[in-house]
Amino acid sequence: MSLDIDSHIRHSSRYVGRSVPRREDRGPLTGRGRYVADIKLPGMLEVVFARSTEAHARITGIDTSEAEALEGVVAVFCAADLSDVNTFPDYIPYIGAVRQRPLAEDRVRYVGAPYAAVVAVDRYIAEDGASLVAAGTTYEPLPTVADLDQALASGAPKLYDHWESNCSFDVAPHKPEVDRAFEEADHVFTETYVSQRQTGLPMETRGVVADMVDGTLTVWSSTQSPHMVRTTVALMLGMPEPQVRVIHPAIGGGFGTKTHIYPEDVVVPWIARRLATPARWIEDRMENLVASVHAREQRHDVEVAYDADGTIRGVRCASMLDMGSGEIFMPGTAPVFVTNACITGGYDFPNMEARTIGAVTNKTPAGAYRGFGIPEGAFVMERIIDRVARLTGTDRADLRRRMLLRPGQTPYVMHGGGRLDSGSHTESFERALEMSAPRLEQVRKRHAGDPDVRVGVGYANYVEPTSPSYHLTTGHWGGGDAATVRVDPDGSVRVAAGLSAFGQGAETTAAQLAADALGVSPQDVTVVLGDTERTPYGLGSWGSRGAMMLTGSVLLASERLLDKARAIAAHMLEAAEADVVLEDGAFHVAGSSRPSVSWAEVGTAAWVRVVDLPDGMEAGLETSGFYHPENLQHQLDDTGKINAAASWSNGTHIGIVSVRISTGEVTIEDYIVVHDCGTVINPALVEGQVHGGVAQGIAGAMYEHFQYDPDTAYPRFASFMDYLVPTCAEVPHMEVDHFESPAPEQPLGVKGCGEGGTVGPPAVVAGAVSDALSEWGVDLTECPVTPVAVRAALRAAEANRGGGSGAPP
Amino acid sequence: MTIIEPISEANVEVTVNGRPHRHRVPARLLLSDYIRDTVGLTGTHLGCEHGYCGACTVMVNGDAVRSCLMLAVQADGAEVRTVEDLAPAGSDALSPMQQAFHDNHALQCGFCTAGFLMTLESVDPAEWRDPERLVELLSGNLCRCTGYQNIVAAVTEAWNAYDGSGGSDDG
Amino acid sequence: MKPAPFEYCRPSTVDEALEALGSSESSRVLAGGQSLIPAMNFRLTDVSLLVDINRVEGLDAVTCDSGGVTVGAAATQTRVLEDDGAASVVPGLRAALRHVGHLQIRDRGTVCGSLAHADPAAELPAVAVATGAAIDVTGPAGERRIDAADFFHGPFWTALEDGDLITEVRFPAPPPRSVTIVDEICRRAGDFAVAGLVAVIEVDAGAVRSARLVGFGLGGVPTRLQAAEAAIGGWAADHPVVTLTEAVMADTTDAFDDIHAPNWYRGEAVAALTVRAALRALATEEEV
Ligand SMILES: Cc1cc2nc3c(=O)[nH]c(=O)nc-3n(C[C@H](O)[C@H](O)[C@H](O)COP(=O)(O)OP(=O)(O)OC[C@H]3O[C@@H](n4cnc5c(N)ncnc54)[C@H](O)[C@@H]3O)c2cc1C
Ligand code: FES
Ligand code: FES
């Protein structure tokens, strides 16, 4: 984007680039943050959902009479009551249509599927009612499908009678050059890599409050995308969009889980409309673990062609996504495409043939989780490199060096069309190696005397697509956001943006941008987000898009506003527009000693003293901009390729671990991150994103795992006792450094940094532990790396050597 | 007060943040819901309702407890303190720990923050300041946003300032 | 996650408590509530009447003498953890309590409640068995004293009968010159153990003289590792480790299998902990 403001801020920013303290902090620090569960309206009723206790079954009867008879229960609604609600749209043509109804009708496909809503005067009684509904529900169990193998087996029980099989999509490009690589290479190995089921797990669960007054339905939702909720709720309830207002109050985290639009987002507003009473539903943690999307469960069957000197000639990878039941809007299918698109990371590696498959199973629907497929791909690529290094006796770091994109090699088009516009791929890796070398020495020394401990190091180099297209994910939306900027008569600035936020500090960022654009201080800027009635359309907060979308839309609107303001000021100064400059928050005639005109004077002229406006000028001082990144593609080109991201951040993670052989316990001793997200608007916020992302990555690398019973598809988890969110004691200290390679085509060169942190840890931990255990030939192919997994790997290694079951002591 | 006959509702007198409250509550009402819904102080959050996340931590008679694992009737006669009581009244100032959280970017979404602050408020810094002990203390509260690093930095800074031993350089 | 309806009472004497407990089919003692209330929030436990013993007079005492430590039913884990006298007489208490949950859990959770709850992965029941604790119970059948060795019957299942109340537990002091070690493998700080060990080890002249070894998280109840106790006599740091590990493996062949670990892992883990404990005990002797 070429804006005057862009170069102006690049040269003389006062706030962009600084750790301006957050304006979002005060509420939560003092107990006055307002989250959905804090909203209480007069006469508000509480909703609790009855959820399937079967993984796959026909519902043969729901007896609601006992619940309805309970004192305090107002109503019980089942699918039949919602006949005036539309079906969730199936927008993506190439995946199986699930025709999802807001409440399950006669068939349930996972434990946790909502099939009835109990409305009562308080939550306790609503839960009593839901228990009675559950007791009154009868099922006819159907055979279950608990994993990809079961789903894709011939003759497998089908989840959808109108499908041919459980396969939702299978996209298989063929690349002759990869065939050639396999013919020519010295060696080939095959392997299967697995990434386990996890979830974003925000500390605040989901929640919806709805109220219909004077024909307008107001919905407070803990969502990452209020405008998309509005569009969808209006569609589902058959209402004009202007009569639906969606507000997200403070949000206690989202991490992708709250990008989806869930049945509850539609049913609770429907109840409020139907009963003409405010209604509220707050997800509890037991529901959250089965009723909010899961993610990351993928399997990768790879074939790798390599030469004796370690050169990797070609890779074929079949990436398979376990979609759960698939009953979620937007569908959770996109991450596996992102996995394949990003799998080669920052490596110069075009000879990749990646097939993408998705299948449904009787588990919680899969969806978005911060990282959105990138960690799964990075895991596969880094494990492949380590394997080839080991097989060929090549140094692991050297092999990566040989493969990484070098300075000057960007823009670089990846195997699937992703266009790495810029980056510091080699530089980040070298810097991280430098940082890790002395630490590795220290850790080795520290454990030198302990025969039970081994030390290892693991690497990950990755790319992070930022501000991606939402078309591939939704089949409907695109990839831009709008903002409005207004200067009021007193000279204060108001920015309203379609972006939303759940802790990233978007309000602070928007204020920094507007302050620099308009030459004011951030204190003079009021920021409005997360209310469809007060903000222009935007897609919300996901895909590491916040920083770029805010920058693009706020600067675009600001530049337009500035043009008009300058014209007004020039008129008041009786000068030519071209001679008027904005300095120190006021307009002057360049090089003249005439008094300046302040923003308040310009604002007053625009709105109040319109007599001061130039002849014929329209009054008012409010402008909008819709920012859509220029090179962002939404559809595949003729060759089946696409650059579905506006820019690409990159990074390197290096981790040093110690492993206790006798127990399999793994300790991350040091964790190093060097990342590059282009121009940084607020360093403290970026660092915070890195820390939080890495912690979630470590959660996936070592702790969190949704396990299901293979015979019944029944969840083997119910609480935080079995879904292991890491505490302060499990997350290591992180050393963070960064490069800044500005995005050449984006405003201020901003890229985005929301997700990169999550990408490295699985590859790093598995690589480091395999390195530590290399004397036994251990080479891990899946996460989480638990003490049990480590001991199992050691036992298997020992058994392979014919050493019996007795693993090393 | 003794309750000999089984009851399903009880009168409770609870002092919350220095102010006395009297209510009639169902026996099954959790203290967390009493604080949030009955008293109306929503700064205390619910993240799990089974004792694991710590978001609901409040002080009862000086001890940090999970308010989701206590009944409102059990708080009869008790002094309860919540996050709303931490900042000095009648001014814009924050408490030193709140300020340190702000200065160190130790919160993002802020949902977990009250629980951390109340846990910290309940302890004697001298006993917990050793870095390993501090990690042990903080491990009773989950945070999904920050990766904990800045929380550790904030507490270290606040506690160093507290006894005047000077700034901290480890984070 | 709100509990189903129940009735509540808060007696001030043991007799009142017993009467209340006897008055209803599914009455339950409410002590710290740190296990009971989560189960009720999940609606996993049917309770018609909660008898809150927190204000029963005299139940919150913690007393120490040279022969042991007595902990009343309402005494919190934090109180015992912070009691220096208790820690010096029965070191296993403090060592175990450090692994129990978190500060906020221990501030309300009770030592006796943990025994009554009998979670197979809990630390305190293993300490009770390792030290030979005596549990005082009163109930419809009158007062009785139950040896810890006879108290635990299975997961969440004890010698307590309907209407029984533990009034206190007495942990005897371990033999002089012994070292008590509580060690465990757990996935996260404060979690219940995947597998753990309480070891009371007597050391003499650079070798183990004898030891009480009690594993937890292995089976339904705290498990005396008898083969290992036999094998460890005379063991010294330069002796082969396999004598100990093989004995522990023999003791743990029927350990649990669940989502946290398969049974072989639990055996291996406790074997490793046993070696670790023996080495630590021997090292402690050197220091003294
Ligand atoms: C997040 C979290 C982490 C935890 N981590 C651990 C851990 O690592 N290790 C561990 O051991 N525990 C752990 N616990 C459990 C904790 O230690 C409990 O406090 C303990 O298990 C039960 O004690 P209580 O006083 O809270 O009992 P309650 O919850 O009040 O009662 C538990 C059961 O025992 C019965 N009962 C209680 N007292 C008596 C009595 N005097 N006589 C007869 N019956 C009685 C009750 O009726 C009930 O059935 C954890 C709990 C939580 C919430
Ligand atoms: S809500 Fe109480 S500990 Fe999570
Ligand atoms: S700041 Fe979001 S959970 Fe801690």
Side-chain angles (χ1 to χ4, degrees):
Chain A
M1 187 172 71
S2 64
L3 287 172
D4 293 343
I5 261 186
D6 188 285
S7 64
H8 172 75
I9 297 178
R10 282 178 202 241
H11 291 119
S12 59
S13 89
R14 289 188 300 161
Y15 301 105
V16 167
R18 288 179 33 202
S19 293
V20 171
R22 295 201 336 152
R23 50 179 60 201
E24 292 88 345
D25 285 357
R26 204 177 167 84
L29 281 172
T30 57
R32 298 187 54 79
R34 286 290 173 262
Y35 301 82
V36 174
D38 304 338
I39 294 170
K40 209 169 170 180
L41 301 173
M44 186 174 76
L45 299 174
E46 291 279 348
V47 182
V48 166
F49 288 87
R51 297 180 183 277
S52 170
T53 52
E54 292 288 324
H56 197 191
R58 235 175 270 294
I59 299 180
T60 49
I62 308 172
D63 179 358
T64 59
S65 58
E66 278 200 47
E68 280 161 336
L70 197 67
E71 191 182 328
V73 168
V74 175
V76 180
F77 297 113
C78 298
D81 299 301
L82 279 85
S83 56
D84 59 340
V85 181
N86 289 314
T87 298
F88 280 103
D90 286 289
Y91 285 129
I92 304 181
Y94 57 88
I95 68 170
V98 295
R99 302 175 191 162
Q100 188 196 354
R101 296 291 301 157
L103 292 178
E105 285 176 325
D106 52 359
R107 175 100 167 247
V108 285
R109 297 183 180 85
Y110 64 97
V111 170
Y115 65 87
V118 179
V119 189
V121 293
D122 74 34
R123 171 86 194 192
Y124 288 74
I125 295 172
E127 285 193 22
D128 298 344
S131 308
L132 293 172
V133 171
T137 305
T138 51
Y139 299 95
E140 177 196 322
L142 296 170
T144 57
V145 163
D147 57 35
L148 282 167
D149 280 335
Q150 292 180 19
L152 295 171
S154 68
K158 282 197 298 179
L159 268 73
Y160 296 93
D161 297 339
H162 62 283
W163 291 17
E164 273 171 29
S165 71
N166 290 316
C167 180
S168 171
F169 57 88
D170 183 347
V171 182
H174 176 237
K175 287 195 172 172
E177 65 270 30
V178 174
D179 292 346
R180 227 170 300 127
F182 272 80
E183 282 157 23
E184 291 167 2
D186 296 343
H187 306 285
V188 171
F189 80 85
T190 60
E191 186 55 273
T192 295
Y193 297 102
V194 175
S195 162
Q196 86 282 16
R197 199 166 249 263
Q198 305 154 53
T199 189
L201 203 117
M203 289 320 299
E204 181 207 32
T205 55
R206 290 183 295 124
V208 185
V209 176
D211 191 16
M212 179 112 172
V213 178
D214 293 337
T216 294
L217 179 65
T218 304
V219 181
W220 291 263
S221 175
S222 184
T223 176
Q224 294 173 230
S225 304
H227 287 275
M228 294 171 63
V229 172
R230 182 189 72 182
T231 298
T232 310
V233 167
L235 176 79
M236 300 279 292
L237 297 185
M239 293 177 67
E241 280 204 51
Q243 288 173 24
V244 179
R245 174 181 186 181
V246 177
I247 300 172
H248 84 50
I251 303 286
F255 314 116
T257 60
K258 296 177 183 173
T259 56
H260 294 272
I261 299 169
Y262 290 84
E264 300 89 350
D265 290 313
V266 175
V267 176
V268 176
W270 178 87
I271 289 171
R273 184 175 74 174
R274 166 78 173 256
L275 298 178
T277 316
R280 170 169 89 171
W281 165 74
I282 304 300
E283 183 181 54
D284 66 32
R285 190 57 74 183
M286 196 168 32
E287 304 182 89
N288 173 263
L289 294 177
V290 291
S292 282
V293 291
H294 293 176
R296 302 240 207 286
E297 187 173 12
Q298 293 189 15
R299 197 178 84 199
H300 306 268
D301 292 340
V302 304
E303 291 173 76
V304 178
Y306 63 99
D307 286 344
D309 70 350
T311 305
I312 303 178
R313 300 289 291 268
V315 173
R316 292 198 189 100
C317 174
S319 296
M320 285 167 262
L321 171 70
D322 182 328
M323 296 167 56
S325 88
E327 293 157 300
I328 187 70
F329 183 82
M330 338 341 199
T333 47
V336 66
F337 289 92
V338 174
T339 299
N340 279 347
C342 300
I343 192 166
T344 52
Y347 299 109
D348 178 2
F349 190 76
N351 276 352
M352 166 69 71
E353 184 180 274
R355 177 176 172 192
T356 318
I357 300 167
V360 289
T361 58
N362 292 117
K363 298 187 285 197
T364 292
Y369 175 17
R370 187 182 198 177
F372 207 74
I374 317 167
E376 296 92 311
F379 180 76
V380 172
M381 192 68 198
E382 299 295 346
R383 298 310 303 127
I384 288 176
I385 297 176
D386 278 352
R387 174 75 63 90
V388 171
R390 190 177 284 184
L391 290 169
T392 58
T394 314
D395 180 82
R396 294 155 70 214
D398 273 344
L399 185 50
R400 287 177 168 82
R401 262 192 199 108
R402 274 158 57 182
M403 298 174 67
L404 277 168
L405 290 170
R406 278 173 234 292
Q409 245 185 304
T410 54
Y412 171 88
V413 177
M414 302 164 81
H415 74 101
R419 182 171 158 278
L420 304 180
D421 52 356
S422 58
S424 52
H425 307 278
T426 292
E427 301 92 311
S428 293
F429 185 56
E430 295 296 349
R431 170 84 56 89
L433 282 174
E434 268 164 41
M435 289 165 70
S436 64
R439 290 181 168 78
L440 183 57
E441 277 318 297
Q442 281 166 11
V443 175
R444 288 227 158 95
K445 221 180 260 165
R446 193 153 65 232
H447 293 290
D450 192 337
D452 194 27
V453 173
R454 296 291 182 283
V455 170
V457 59
Y459 311 106
N461 292 299
Y462 61 85
V463 294
E464 174 188 6
T466 69
S467 293
S469 163
Y470 220 19
H471 199 74
L472 293 172
T473 302
T474 64
H476 199 56
W477 284 269
D481 265 28
T484 300
V485 177
R486 186 176 86 203
V487 173
D488 280 334
D490 66 353
S492 350
V493 178
R494 174 191 185 271
V495 174
L499 194 97
S500 54
F502 51 88
Q504 302 97 324
E507 289 177 33
T508 302
T509 306
Q512 287 178 261
L513 288 162
D516 267 349
L518 303 178
V520 298
S521 119
Q523 278 82 18
D524 299 327
V525 182
T526 300
V527 179
V528 182
L529 303 174
D531 179 349
T532 59
E533 202 66 10
R534 302 204 295 151
T535 64
Y537 211 90
L539 302 185
S541 176
W542 44 267
S544 306
R545 69 196 295 276
M548 192 195 295
M549 285 299 133
L550 278 176
T551 307
S553 58
V554 171
L555 294 196
L556 193 56
S558 296
E559 175 137 314
R560 289 175 181 160
L561 184 127
L562 211 48
D563 284 347
K564 183 165 182 182
R566 190 177 286 115
I568 297 172
H571 180 71
M572 294 172 84
L573 289 163
E574 297 176 344
E577 252 177 71
D579 297 336
V580 173
V581 292
L582 176 63
E583 259 173 36
D584 300 329
F587 295 91
H588 315 262
V589 176
S592 131
S593 58
R594 259 186 279 172
S596 58
V597 171
S598 69
W599 273 110
E601 287 168 293
V602 173
T604 299
W607 297 103
V608 182
R609 286 184 56 85
V610 293
V611 293
D612 291 344
L613 290 179
D615 273 353
M617 181 183 272
E618 189 182 318
L621 195 50
E622 174 165 357
T623 52
S624 292
F626 187 97
Y627 181 67
H628 184 280
E630 271 162 39
N631 55 348
L632 177 61
Q633 298 170 346
H634 298 298
Q635 266 148 352
L636 304 181
D637 66 16
D638 299 342
T639 63
K641 293 187 173 181
I642 182 171
N643 178 42
S647 186
W648 296 76
S649 294
N650 69 273
T652 300
H653 291 193
I654 297 184
I656 301 166
V657 304
S658 62
V659 184
R660 207 157 261 292
I661 303 303
S662 59
T663 59
E665 292 165 289
V666 173
T667 306
I668 303 180
E669 303 266 357
D670 267 303
Y671 203 91
I672 287 145
V673 178
V674 178
H675 75 105
D676 184 342
C677 61
T679 304
V680 171
I681 300 175
N682 186 319
L685 298 187
V686 167
E687 193 144 318
Q689 287 299 304
V690 172
H691 291 167
V694 170
Q696 282 182 317
I698 287 170
M702 298 173 66
Y703 300 98
E704 296 175 15
H705 186 188
F706 283 124
Q707 301 186 54
Y708 281 80
D709 187 301
D711 298 326
T712 60
Y714 206 82
R716 297 179 72 189
F717 54 87
S719 75
F720 283 165
M721 282 177 82
D722 21 53
Y723 190 75
L724 307 179
V725 179
T727 76
C728 185
E730 285 75 51
V731 178
H733 182 82
M734 302 158 233
E735 205 62 57
V736 182
D737 199 357
H738 70 273
F739 282 90
E740 280 192 45
S741 312
E745 288 123 11
Q746 303 305 335
L748 300 187
V750 167
K751 292 182 171 176
C753 66
E755 302 179 274
T758 61
V759 177
V764 164
V765 171
V769 172
S770 302
D771 180 37
L773 306 181
S774 58
E775 67 197 83
W776 289 278
V778 167
D779 192 34
L780 298 172
T781 55
E782 59 188 278
C783 287
V785 181
T786 64
V788 173
V790 169
R791 287 298 304 169
L794 286 168
R795 283 162 71 104
E798 204 70 3
N800 274 345
R801 288 189 193 176
S805 76
Chain B
M1 216 203 309
T2 309
I3 302 175
I4 295 182
E5 285 305 311
I7 44 114
S8 52
E9 274 190 6
N11 293 318
V12 294
E13 285 188 39
V14 187
T15 305
V16 184
N17 300 337
R19 287 183 51 192
H21 290 265
R22 303 177 66 126
H23 293 99
R24 187 159 183 82
V25 299
R28 63 166 160 166
L29 186 71
L30 298 171
L31 179 61
S32 46
D33 288 327
Y34 173 77
I35 292 168
R36 288 176 46 79
D37 279 356
T38 314
V39 179
L41 295 172
T42 56
T44 300
H45 296 150
L46 300 182
C48 72
E49 295 181 290
H50 58 281
Y52 267 80
C53 76
C56 69
T57 304
V58 300
M59 284 165 68
V60 175
N61 295 332
D63 291 333
V65 306
R66 308 293 211 215
S67 62
C68 71
L69 298 189
M70 197 172 157
L71 303 172
V73 282
Q74 292 188 283
D76 186 23
E79 298 255 357
V80 172
R81 283 188 72 203
T82 68
V83 65
E84 285 88 348
D85 200 36
L86 295 180
S91 87
D92 268 356
L94 297 170
S95 76
M97 187 60 78
Q98 288 170 321
Q99 188 65 45
F101 266 57
H102 179 59
D103 294 343
N104 288 277
H105 188 27
L107 65 155
Q108 292 183 28
C109 77
F111 199 77
C112 67
T113 309
F116 278 96
L117 292 173
M118 295 318 293
T119 299
L120 290 162
E121 180 76 7
S122 78
V123 300
D124 174 2
E127 246 179 79
W128 295 94
R129 66 178 337 142
D130 167 73
E132 262 179 51
R133 288 279 280 165
L134 178 57
V135 166
E136 183 191 328
L137 176 68
L138 296 177
S139 72
N141 292 76
L142 297 179
C143 173
R144 194 58 160 171
C145 298
T146 64
Y148 304 102
Q149 190 151 321
N150 289 346
I151 295 178
V152 172
V155 179
T156 307
E157 182 181 294
W159 281 355
N160 281 348
Y162 167 88
D163 71 0
S165 75
S168 127
D169 52 7
D170 57 6
Chain C
M1 288 182 61
K2 313 293 183 191
F6 55 80
E7 292 191 310
Y8 170 87
C9 68
R10 188 163 58 213
S12 54
T13 67
V14 169
D15 286 345
E16 287 166 7
L18 289 179
E19 193 169 320
L21 283 169
S23 71
S24 165
E25 273 278 290
S26 46
S27 61
R28 285 292 194 99
V29 174
L30 174 62
Q34 303 301 290
S35 294
L36 184 53
I37 297 193
M40 292 172 65
N41 289 358
F42 279 112
R43 298 194 178 218
L44 291 173
T45 309
D46 238 357
V47 178
S48 58
L49 172 65
L50 276 188
V51 181
D52 182 349
I53 60 165
N54 284 289
R55 299 193 202 179
V56 172
E57 277 157 35
L59 279 193
D60 63 349
V62 179
T63 51
C64 308
D65 52 59
S66 59
V69 176
T70 305
V71 181
T76 64
Q77 295 161 356
T78 293
R79 271 209 49 201
V80 178
L81 176 61
E82 288 177 354
D83 192 313
D84 289 335
S88 71
V89 178
V90 183
L93 280 172
R94 179 173 284 176
L97 283 163
R98 285 210 170 118
H99 293 280
V100 174
H102 306 279
L103 171 90
Q104 304 93 329
I105 307 299
R106 297 187 299 255
D107 277 353
R108 287 204 65 81
T110 64
V111 169
C112 291
S114 178
L115 303 182
H117 189 60
D119 189 304
E123 293 83 0
L124 291 167
V127 173
V129 172
T131 56
I135 297 159
D136 283 353
V137 175
T138 172
E143 291 180 23
R144 58 202 195 279
R145 172 164 293 189
I146 307 174
D147 279 345
D150 305 323
F151 185 77
F152 300 100
H153 290 180
F156 311 102
W157 177 30
T158 66
L160 293 175
E161 305 277 349
D162 282 351
D164 275 349
L165 173 72
I166 299 179
T167 49
E168 61 182 37
V169 54
R170 165 94 176 160
F171 296 91
R177 297 175 45 82
S178 66
V179 180
T180 305
I181 288 163
V182 181
D183 200 356
E184 64 184 39
I185 307 292
C186 66
R187 298 291 305 281
R188 290 174 303 184
D191 275 356
F192 281 100
V194 173
L197 175 74
V198 177
V200 182
I201 301 176
E202 290 179 77
V203 183
D204 190 21
V208 173
R209 195 160 74 179
S210 70
R212 273 258 201 162
L213 302 172
V214 179
F216 53 98
L218 290 174
V221 297
T223 313
R224 277 286 289 277
L225 305 175
Q226 277 157 348
E229 285 180 3
I232 203 169
W235 195 81
D238 56 0
H239 288 201
V241 161
V242 286
T243 21
L244 296 188
T245 53
E246 275 176 7
V248 176
M249 293 308 283
D251 281 323
T252 56
T253 43
D254 37 331
F256 279 153
D257 235 338
D258 66 12
I259 67 160
H260 297 297
N263 75 328
W264 59 260
Y265 178 81
R266 292 191 151 90
E268 287 188 0
V270 173
L273 295 177
T274 304
V275 173
R276 205 143 102 183
L279 290 172
R280 255 170 68 190
L282 291 166
T284 314
E285 192 205 24
E286 271 167 34
E287 278 166 28
V288 174

